[in-house]
């Protein structure tokens, strides 16, 4: 399955993977900067959501479809989020819809939401508040403009959110947002001294989404 995204140099066909649930709504899931939609973390995450009754739509950003490793302009990712929601609404028009993304994918969802993306909530799997060791470069200006509820799922040892007080201040400035902490987790929720497969780590976060959706 694919959908098209209109970009300045022409349309790009976007690969997708739909997971059928039991009518509890749809969670759209975007990948991080360094991996595509087939990353085991995301596969485990969406499989677990399907088991909980949610349908899911994983998708790539255009730069991945074009064989590039580094993200393109933010406008391309924002356009992709709008196209993904449009595609999902045609497929499941009766569903509530949440936008979720790993790191970069979540930040792009937040930027799209600040510009009018209509979803019932946003879920960030390791929001990249700033580049590692650069708390002077926060990516937060647009967050207070988002009206939809926001859930920040964050590892306490994630270098992208140190010091954690800076993230707490950013979330407090939002209209409707909260943090779910993963104790000892890094940027991909890995815990030092406790190795788990990436798909298992992703699956472990699904109940947090279920709780958020219910609230």
């Amino acid at each position: 399955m694919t959908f098209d995204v209109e970009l300045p140099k022409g349309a790009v066909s976007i690969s997708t993977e739909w997971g059928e649930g039991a009518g509890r709504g749809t969670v759209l899931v975007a990948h991080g900067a360094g991996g595509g939609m087939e990353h085991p973390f995301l596969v485990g995450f969406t499989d677990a959501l399907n088991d909980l009754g949610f349908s899911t739509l994983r998708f790539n950003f255009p730069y991945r479809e074009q064989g590039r490793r580094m993200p393109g302009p933010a406008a391309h990712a924002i356009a992709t989020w709008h196209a993904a929601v449009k595609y999902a609404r045609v497929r499941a028009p009766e569903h509530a819809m949440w936008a979720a993304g790993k790191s970069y994918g979540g930040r792009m969802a937040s930027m799209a939401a600040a510009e009018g993306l209509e979803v019932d909530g946003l879920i960030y799997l390791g929001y990249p508040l700033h580049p590692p060791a650069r708390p002077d470069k926060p990516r937060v200006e647009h967050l207070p403009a988002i009206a939809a509820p926001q859930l920040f799922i964050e590892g306490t040892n994630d270098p992208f959110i140190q010091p954690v007080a800076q993230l707490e201040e950013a979330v407090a400035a939002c209209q409707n947002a909260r943090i779910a902490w993963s104790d000892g987790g890094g940027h991909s929720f890995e815990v030092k001294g406790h190795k788990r497969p990436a798909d298992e780590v992703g699956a472990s976060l699904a109940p947090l989404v279920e709780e958020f959706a219910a609230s």
Side-chain angles (χ1 to χ4, degrees):
M1 299 180 294
T2 63
F3 61 81
D4 288 342
V5 178
E6 294 294 335
L7 300 180
K9 293 185 178 180
V12 176
S13 183
I14 299 297
S15 300
T16 70
E17 183 68 33
W18 180 269
E20 193 66 41
R24 299 188 67 183
T26 297
V27 182
L28 294 82
V29 182
H31 58 79
M37 70 175 190
E38 295 300 338
H39 193 285
F41 175 93
L42 297 183
V43 174
F45 177 65
T46 53
D47 283 351
L49 286 173
N50 297 155
D51 290 342
L52 291 171
F54 296 91
S55 295
T56 55
L57 178 70
R58 281 183 282 119
F59 61 91
N60 278 334
F61 286 118
Y63 73 94
R64 295 289 300 188
E65 298 292 349
Q66 296 165 338
R68 292 185 281 112
R69 298 183 64 182
M70 296 300 293
H76 294 187
I78 291 170
T80 305
W81 263 112
H82 282 279
V85 169
K86 181 178 179 180
Y87 174 83
R89 291 201 186 283
V90 170
R91 176 140 191 164
E94 75 286 3
H95 279 190
M97 296 206 172
W98 297 272
K102 177 71 182 78
S103 190
Y104 168 83
R107 185 165 72 94
M108 293 299 103
S110 72
M111 293 174 68
E115 295 182 8
L117 182 72
E118 294 186 1
V119 290
D120 293 278
L122 296 109
I123 300 143
Y124 311 122
L125 308 173
Y127 186 86
L129 183 69
H130 56 70
R134 292 303 307 270
D136 58 315
K137 299 287 187 180
R139 301 153 170 161
V140 298
E141 289 185 358
H142 63 290
L143 294 178
I146 299 171
Q150 302 175 79
L151 174 66
F152 292 75
I153 303 178
E154 305 290 341
T156 57
N157 286 338
D158 184 350
F160 286 77
I161 61 164
Q162 303 300 325
V164 296
Q166 187 176 14
L167 177 66
E168 292 171 336
E169 291 171 4
V171 171
C174 293
Q175 296 183 45
N176 184 354
R178 65 183 179 87
I179 306 171
W181 290 110
S182 171
D183 190 34
H187 191 53
S188 293
F189 303 95
E190 73 285 358
V191 177
K192 187 176 181 180
H194 184 52
K195 290 187 177 181
R196 291 188 296 169
D199 59 340
E200 183 180 316
V201 175
S204 71
L205 305 181
L208 297 173
V209 177
E210 179 184 34
E211 179 185 354
F212 175 65
S215 65

